Amino acid sequence: VINKENRRLVATLVRNLDDIYRDVLLLKFEQEMSNKEIAQFLDITTDLVRMRYMRAKRLLVKMGGEALYEASKT
């Protein structure tokens, strides 16, 4: 469960990602697309979708992981 404050923080962090990472995250979570569907939509391989997703998660943690961790404890 993500409270309103955490949701805003995540949205801000996602907005600050490069387009290639943001697109994968938004398609995966807002559109609920599978890696295969995302790959077809973006005309890339499923391996590249997985790589961009992993990198996006890593970047989000690097950019705001500590703030998210602290907010999740409350």
Side-chain angles (χ1 to χ4, degrees):
V1 176
I2 298 178
N3 66 28
K4 217 179 226 183
E5 184 178 323
N6 287 349
R7 214 174 257 174
R8 273 189 248 131
L9 177 57
V10 170
T12 299
L13 295 174
V14 170
R15 274 194 303 272
N16 289 324
L17 289 173
D18 288 339
D19 291 343
I20 62 171
Y21 302 121
R22 183 176 49 245
D23 291 346
V24 169
L25 287 178
L26 294 177
L27 291 170
K28 184 174 274 297
F29 293 106
E30 286 188 358
Q31 302 300 317
E32 299 179 359
M33 294 172 78
S34 68
N35 287 351
K36 184 177 178 180
E37 291 169 324
I38 294 169
Q40 290 172 341
F41 185 78
L42 297 176
D43 196 28
I44 60 176
T45 66
T46 55
D47 287 338
L48 189 51
V49 171
R50 281 192 293 276
M51 181 61 67
R52 287 180 182 180
Y53 175 68
M54 288 187 318
R55 287 179 180 164
K57 287 193 322 184
R58 198 174 314 132
L59 286 167
L60 288 174
V61 168
K62 187 176 181 180
M63 291 169 19
E66 187 174 319
L68 284 172
Y69 175 74
E70 290 301 320
S72 71
K73 293 188 334 185
T74 59

